[in-house]
Amino acid sequence: MDETLAGLRKSAGIALLATRMNFRSHLVHPGEVVLANIGALVQAVSGAAVLMLALSASDGIHGWTLAEWAALTGFTTVARALWNTVFFGTLDIPDMVRSGELDHYLVRPADPLVLILFSKVDTDVWIEIAVGTGMLGVALHVSGAELSGPVLLFVPLALAGSALVFAAMHLAVTALSFWLRQDAMLSMLIWRLDTFAQLPMSFYPKWLMTVFSTVVPFAFVGYFPCLYILGRTDSPFVWLLPLAGPLLCLPAVLLWRTGIDRYSSTGS
């Protein structure tokens, strides 16, 4: 037990050191950071504006008002940005496996997954967090949702859990590279499918809603948490939703560990 705790402390220390070094490397060129955030701002605002303008022609979206949909979009935008802040490095796993770069992480004195998680810091996400938070706040006000104490407590817990749902899905897919060796397209597919989480599940046919609630659990990213935040349900079981992310991470990490046990270097 003591050895395990010592290993975790060591991995956490190395992760913090790597994160600090990554931030410093970005700040060497502050102009690039500013331009990247401006680009992310334009992308986030234009994407949301185009879809909202298209949907504003109707009175609602399968029973959801435009304000409620905007709240869902803001929530999922923040959750995705939180995932992107910490877990962005997992997207490089397929390339590391194919090129043999993973060898560098295996010989270092810390958990390789922890090192990969903190190998990159995507500084573009700060503007996405700001835009998503602003959209969520304004949309909740316009929708008339009651921001009670329990709801305000639930929002950050749900955001953390949703970020981990994203993390579990991406880690599970990228871990398949140990068997497929060519799963870059699968990783990109999940990346693109993220946008499906920004629409109410009632928008989709039942079979696809079932898929998004089980196999590819996008429903747990924003739809189910927002049912409670928007006052559409008062079920006490919603407080179990933040646990979905950690629970889904368990099989994803197990898949990663199974894959890395069978990993054979390319020798390059």
Side-chain angles (χ1 to χ4, degrees), residues 112-170:
L113 181 57
V114 173
L115 293 175
I116 291 173
L117 292 180
F118 292 91
S119 62
K120 283 187 175 179
V121 172
D122 188 1
T123 54
D124 307 354
V125 300
W126 307 121
I127 195 68
E128 293 179 7
I129 292 175
V131 170
T133 303
M135 179 182 290
L136 176 62
V138 172
L140 288 177
H141 175 71
V142 174
S143 68
E146 182 182 355
L147 297 180
S148 61
V151 171
L152 293 176
L153 175 62
F154 178 78
V155 169
L157 295 176
L159 283 172
S162 297
L164 289 176
V165 173
F166 274 129
M169 286 191 290
H170 283 282

Coordinates of all heavy atoms in Angstrom, one line a residue, residues 112-170:
P112 N 3.3 5.5 -17.5 CA 3.3 6.0 -18.9 C 2.0 6.7 -19.3 O 2.0 7.8 -20.0 CB 3.6 4.8 -19.8 CG 3.3 3.6 -19.0 CD 3.5 4.0 -17.6
L113 N 0.9 6.3 -18.7 CA -0.4 6.9 -19.1 C -0.5 8.3 -18.5 O -0.9 9.3 -19.1 CB -1.6 6.1 -18.6 CG -3.0 6.6 -18.9 CD1 -3.1 6.9 -20.4 CD2 -4.1 5.7 -18.4
V114 N 0.0 8.4 -17.2 CA 0.0 9.7 -16.6 C 1.0 10.7 -17.4 O 0.6 11.9 -17.6 CB 0.5 9.6 -15.1 CG1 0.7 11.0 -14.5 CG2 -0.5 8.8 -14.3
L115 N 2.1 10.2 -17.8 CA 3.0 11.0 -18.6 C 2.4 11.5 -19.9 O 2.6 12.6 -20.3 CB 4.3 10.3 -18.8 CG 5.2 9.9 -17.6 CD1 6.4 9.0 -18.0 CD2 5.7 11.2 -16.9
I116 N 1.7 10.6 -20.5 CA 1.0 10.9 -21.8 C -0.1 12.0 -21.6 O -0.2 12.9 -22.3 CB 0.5 9.7 -22.5 CG1 1.7 8.8 -23.0 CG2 -0.4 10.1 -23.7 CD1 1.2 7.5 -23.5
L117 N -0.9 11.8 -20.5 CA -2.0 12.7 -20.2 C -1.5 14.1 -20.1 O -2.1 15.1 -20.5 CB -2.7 12.3 -19.0 CG -3.5 11.0 -19.0 CD1 -4.2 10.7 -17.7 CD2 -4.5 11.0 -20.1
F118 N -0.3 14.3 -19.4 CA 0.2 15.6 -19.2 C 1.4 16.0 -20.1 O 2.1 16.9 -19.8 CB 0.7 15.7 -17.7 CG -0.4 15.6 -16.7 CD1 -0.8 14.4 -16.2 CD2 -1.1 16.7 -16.3 CE1 -1.9 14.3 -15.3 CE2 -2.2 16.6 -15.4 CZ -2.6 15.4 -14.9
S119 N 1.4 15.3 -21.2 CA 2.5 15.6 -22.2 C 2.2 16.8 -23.0 O 3.1 17.4 -23.6 CB 2.7 14.4 -23.1 OG 1.6 14.1 -23.9
K120 N 0.9 17.2 -23.0 CA 0.5 18.4 -23.8 C -0.4 19.3 -23.0 O -1.2 18.7 -22.2 CB -0.1 18.0 -25.1 CG 0.8 17.5 -26.2 CD 0.0 17.3 -27.5 CE 1.0 16.9 -28.6 NZ 0.2 16.7 -29.9
V121 N -0.4 20.5 -23.2 CA -1.4 21.5 -22.7 C -1.9 22.3 -23.9 O -1.2 22.9 -24.5 CB -0.8 22.4 -21.6 CG1 -1.8 23.5 -21.2 CG2 -0.4 21.6 -20.4
D122 N -3.2 22.1 -24.1 CA -3.8 22.8 -25.2 C -4.3 24.2 -24.7 O -5.4 24.3 -24.1 CB -5.0 22.0 -25.8 CG -5.5 22.6 -27.1 OD1 -5.0 23.7 -27.5 OD2 -6.5 22.1 -27.6
T123 N -3.6 25.2 -24.9 CA -3.9 26.5 -24.4 C -5.1 27.2 -25.1 O -5.5 28.2 -24.7 CB -2.7 27.5 -24.4 OG1 -2.2 27.5 -25.7 CG2 -1.6 27.0 -23.5
D124 N -5.5 26.6 -26.2 CA -6.6 27.2 -27.0 C -8.0 27.0 -26.2 O -8.9 27.6 -26.6 CB -6.8 26.5 -28.3 CG -5.5 26.5 -29.1 OD1 -4.5 27.1 -28.7 OD2 -5.4 25.9 -30.2
V125 N -8.0 26.1 -25.2 CA -9.3 25.7 -24.7 C -9.8 26.8 -23.7 O -11.0 26.8 -23.4 CB -9.2 24.4 -23.9 CG1 -8.8 23.3 -24.8 CG2 -8.2 24.5 -22.7
W126 N -9.0 27.7 -23.3 CA -9.4 28.7 -22.3 C -10.6 29.5 -22.8 O -11.5 29.9 -22.1 CB -8.3 29.6 -21.8 CG -7.1 28.8 -21.3 CD1 -5.8 28.8 -21.8 CD2 -7.1 27.8 -20.3 NE1 -5.0 27.9 -21.2 CE2 -5.8 27.3 -20.2 CE3 -8.1 27.3 -19.4 CZ2 -5.4 26.3 -19.3 CZ3 -7.7 26.3 -18.5 CH2 -6.4 25.8 -18.5
I127 N -10.5 29.9 -24.1 CA -11.5 30.7 -24.7 C -12.8 29.9 -24.8 O -13.9 30.4 -24.7 CB -11.1 31.3 -26.1 CG1 -12.0 32.4 -26.5 CG2 -11.0 30.2 -27.1 CD1 -12.0 33.6 -25.6
E128 N -12.7 28.6 -25.1 CA -13.8 27.7 -25.2 C -14.5 27.6 -23.9 O -15.8 27.6 -23.8 CB -13.4 26.3 -25.7 CG -12.9 26.3 -27.2 CD -12.5 24.9 -27.6 OE1 -12.7 24.0 -26.9 OE2 -11.9 24.8 -28.7
I129 N -13.7 27.5 -22.8 CA -14.3 27.5 -21.5 C -15.1 28.8 -21.2 O -16.2 28.8 -20.6 CB -13.3 27.2 -20.4 CG1 -12.7 25.8 -20.6 CG2 -13.8 27.4 -19.0 CD1 -11.5 25.5 -19.6
A130 N -14.5 29.9 -21.6 CA -15.1 31.2 -21.3 C -16.4 31.3 -22.1 O -17.5 31.7 -21.6 CB -14.2 32.3 -21.7
V131 N -16.4 30.9 -23.4 CA -17.6 31.1 -24.3 C -18.6 30.1 -23.8 O -19.8 30.5 -23.7 CB -17.2 30.8 -25.7 CG1 -18.4 30.6 -26.6 CG2 -16.3 31.8 -26.3
G132 N -18.3 28.9 -23.5 CA -19.2 27.9 -23.0 C -19.9 28.3 -21.7 O -21.1 28.1 -21.5
T133 N -19.1 28.8 -20.8 CA -19.6 29.2 -19.5 C -20.6 30.4 -19.7 O -21.7 30.4 -19.1 CB -18.5 29.6 -18.5 OG1 -17.6 28.5 -18.4 CG2 -19.0 30.0 -17.2
G134 N -20.2 31.3 -20.5 CA -21.1 32.5 -20.8 C -22.4 32.1 -21.4 O -23.5 32.5 -21.0
M135 N -22.3 31.2 -22.4 CA -23.5 30.7 -23.1 C -24.4 29.9 -22.1 O -25.6 30.1 -22.1 CB -23.1 29.8 -24.2 CG -24.3 29.2 -25.0 SD -23.8 28.1 -26.3 CE -23.1 29.2 -27.5
L136 N -23.8 29.1 -21.2 CA -24.6 28.4 -20.3 C -25.3 29.3 -19.3 O -26.5 29.1 -19.0 CB -23.7 27.4 -19.5 CG -24.3 26.6 -18.4 CD1 -25.4 25.7 -18.9 CD2 -23.3 25.8 -17.6
G137 N -24.6 30.3 -18.8 CA -25.2 31.2 -17.8 C -26.3 32.0 -18.4 O -27.4 32.1 -17.8
V138 N -26.1 32.6 -19.6 CA -27.1 33.4 -20.3 C -28.3 32.5 -20.6 O -29.5 32.9 -20.4 CB -26.6 34.1 -21.5 CG1 -27.7 34.8 -22.3 CG2 -25.5 35.1 -21.2
A139 N -28.1 31.3 -21.2 CA -29.1 30.5 -21.6 C -30.0 30.0 -20.4 O -31.2 30.0 -20.5 CB -28.6 29.2 -22.3
L140 N -29.4 29.7 -19.3 CA -30.1 29.3 -18.1 C -31.0 30.5 -17.6 O -32.2 30.3 -17.2 CB -29.2 28.9 -17.0 CG -28.5 27.5 -17.2 CD1 -27.5 27.3 -16.0 CD2 -29.5 26.4 -17.3
H141 N -30.5 31.7 -17.7 CA -31.3 32.9 -17.3 C -32.5 33.1 -18.2 O -33.6 33.3 -17.7 CB -30.4 34.1 -17.3 CG -31.1 35.4 -17.0 ND1 -31.6 35.7 -15.8 CD2 -31.5 36.4 -17.8 CE1 -32.2 36.9 -15.8 NE2 -32.2 37.3 -17.1
V142 N -32.2 33.0 -19.5 CA -33.3 33.2 -20.5 C -34.3 32.1 -20.4 O -35.5 32.3 -20.5 CB -32.7 33.3 -21.9 CG1 -33.8 33.3 -23.0 CG2 -31.8 34.5 -22.0
S143 N -33.9 30.8 -20.2 CA -34.8 29.7 -20.1 C -35.7 29.7 -18.9 O -36.7 29.0 -18.8 CB -34.0 28.4 -20.2 OG -33.3 28.2 -19.0
G144 N -35.3 30.5 -17.9 CA -36.1 30.6 -16.6 C -35.8 29.5 -15.7 O -36.5 29.2 -14.7
A145 N -34.7 28.7 -15.9 CA -34.3 27.6 -15.0 C -34.0 28.2 -13.6 O -33.4 29.2 -13.5 CB -33.1 26.9 -15.6
E146 N -34.5 27.4 -12.6 CA -34.2 27.8 -11.2 C -32.8 27.4 -10.8 O -32.6 26.2 -10.7 CB -35.3 27.2 -10.3 CG -35.1 27.7 -8.8 CD -36.2 27.0 -7.9 OE1 -37.0 26.3 -8.5 OE2 -36.1 27.2 -6.7
L147 N -32.0 28.4 -10.5 CA -30.6 28.1 -10.0 C -30.6 28.0 -8.5 O -30.1 28.8 -7.8 CB -29.7 29.1 -10.6 CG -29.6 29.2 -12.1 CD1 -28.6 30.3 -12.5 CD2 -29.2 27.9 -12.7
S148 N -31.1 26.9 -8.0 CA -31.1 26.6 -6.6 C -29.7 26.2 -6.1 O -28.8 25.9 -6.9 CB -32.1 25.6 -6.2 OG -31.8 24.3 -6.9
G149 N -29.6 26.1 -4.8 CA -28.3 25.7 -4.2 C -27.9 24.3 -4.8 O -26.7 24.1 -5.2
P150 N -28.8 23.3 -4.7 CA -28.4 22.0 -5.2 C -28.0 22.0 -6.7 O -27.1 21.3 -7.1 CB -29.7 21.1 -5.0 CG -30.3 21.8 -3.9 CD -30.1 23.3 -4.0
V151 N -28.6 22.8 -7.5 CA -28.3 22.9 -8.9 C -26.9 23.5 -9.1 O -26.1 23.0 -9.9 CB -29.3 23.7 -9.7 CG1 -28.8 24.0 -11.1 CG2 -30.7 23.0 -9.7
L152 N -26.6 24.6 -8.3 CA -25.3 25.2 -8.4 C -24.2 24.2 -8.0 O -23.0 24.3 -8.4 CB -25.3 26.5 -7.6 CG -26.1 27.6 -8.2 CD1 -26.1 28.8 -7.2 CD2 -25.7 28.0 -9.5
L153 N -24.5 23.4 -7.0 CA -23.5 22.4 -6.6 C -23.4 21.3 -7.6 O -22.3 20.7 -7.8 CB -24.0 21.8 -5.2 CG -23.2 20.6 -4.7 CD1 -21.7 21.0 -4.4 CD2 -23.8 20.0 -3.4
F154 N -24.5 20.9 -8.3 CA -24.5 19.8 -9.2 C -23.7 20.2 -10.5 O -23.0 19.3 -11.0 CB -25.9 19.5 -9.6 CG -26.1 18.4 -10.6 CD1 -25.9 17.1 -10.3 CD2 -26.3 18.7 -12.0 CE1 -26.0 16.1 -11.2 CE2 -26.5 17.7 -12.9 CZ -26.3 16.4 -12.5
V155 N -23.7 21.4 -10.9 CA -23.1 21.8 -12.2 C -21.6 21.5 -12.3 O -21.2 20.8 -13.2 CB -23.4 23.3 -12.5 CG1 -22.5 23.8 -13.7 CG2 -24.9 23.5 -12.8
P156 N -20.8 21.9 -11.3 CA -19.4 21.6 -11.4 C -19.1 20.1 -11.3 O -18.2 19.6 -12.0 CB -18.7 22.4 -10.3 CG -19.8 22.7 -9.3 CD -21.0 22.8 -10.2
L157 N -19.9 19.4 -10.5 CA -19.7 17.9 -10.4 C -20.0 17.3 -11.7 O -19.3 16.4 -12.1 CB -20.6 17.4 -9.2 CG -20.3 17.8 -7.8 CD1 -21.3 17.3 -6.9 CD2 -18.9 17.4 -7.4
A158 N -21.1 17.7 -12.3 CA -21.5 17.1 -13.6 C -20.5 17.4 -14.7 O -20.2 16.6 -15.5 CB -22.9 17.6 -14.0
L159 N -20.0 18.7 -14.7 CA -19.0 19.0 -15.7 C -17.7 18.2 -15.6 O -17.2 17.7 -16.6 CB -18.6 20.5 -15.5 CG -19.6 21.5 -16.1 CD1 -19.2 22.9 -15.7 CD2 -19.7 21.4 -17.6
A160 N -17.3 17.9 -14.3 CA -16.1 17.1 -14.1 C -16.4 15.6 -14.6 O -15.6 15.0 -15.3 CB -15.7 17.1 -12.7
G161 N -17.6 15.1 -14.3 CA -18.0 13.8 -14.7 C -18.1 13.7 -16.2 O -17.6 12.7 -16.8
S162 N -18.6 14.7 -16.8 CA -18.8 14.7 -18.3 C -17.4 14.7 -19.0 O -17.2 14.1 -20.0 CB -19.6 15.9 -18.7 OG -20.9 15.8 -18.2
A163 N -16.5 15.5 -18.4 CA -15.1 15.6 -19.0 C -14.5 14.2 -19.0 O -13.8 13.8 -19.9 CB -14.3 16.6 -18.3
L164 N -14.8 13.4 -17.9 CA -14.2 12.1 -17.8 C -14.9 11.1 -18.7 O -14.3 10.1 -19.1 CB -14.3 11.6 -16.3 CG -13.4 12.3 -15.4 CD1 -13.6 11.8 -13.9 CD2 -11.9 12.0 -15.7
V165 N -16.2 11.4 -19.0 CA -16.9 10.5 -20.0 C -16.2 10.7 -21.4 O -15.9 9.7 -22.1 CB -18.4 10.9 -20.2 CG1 -19.0 10.1 -21.3 CG2 -19.1 10.6 -18.9
F166 N -15.9 12.0 -21.8 CA -15.1 12.2 -23.0 C -13.8 11.5 -22.9 O -13.4 10.8 -23.9 CB -14.9 13.7 -23.1 CG -16.0 14.5 -23.8 CD1 -16.5 15.6 -23.3 CD2 -16.4 14.0 -25.1 CE1 -17.5 16.3 -23.9 CE2 -17.4 14.7 -25.7 CZ -18.0 15.9 -25.2
A167 N -13.1 11.6 -21.8 CA -11.8 11.0 -21.6 C -11.9 9.5 -21.8 O -11.0 8.9 -22.4 CB -11.2 11.3 -20.2
A168 N -12.9 8.8 -21.2 CA -13.0 7.4 -21.3 C -13.2 7.0 -22.7 O -12.6 6.0 -23.2 CB -14.2 6.9 -20.4
M169 N -14.1 7.7 -23.5 CA -14.4 7.3 -24.8 C -13.1 7.4 -25.7 O -12.8 6.5 -26.5 CB -15.5 8.1 -25.4 CG -16.9 7.8 -24.9 SD -18.2 8.6 -25.8 CE -18.0 10.3 -25.3
H170 N -12.4 8.5 -25.6 CA -11.2 8.8 -26.4 C -10.1 7.8 -26.0 O -9.4 7.3 -26.9 CB -10.7 10.2 -26.3 CG -11.6 11.2 -27.0 ND1 -11.5 11.3 -28.4 CD2 -12.6 12.0 -26.7 CE1 -12.3 12.2 -28.8 NE2 -13.0 12.7 -27.8

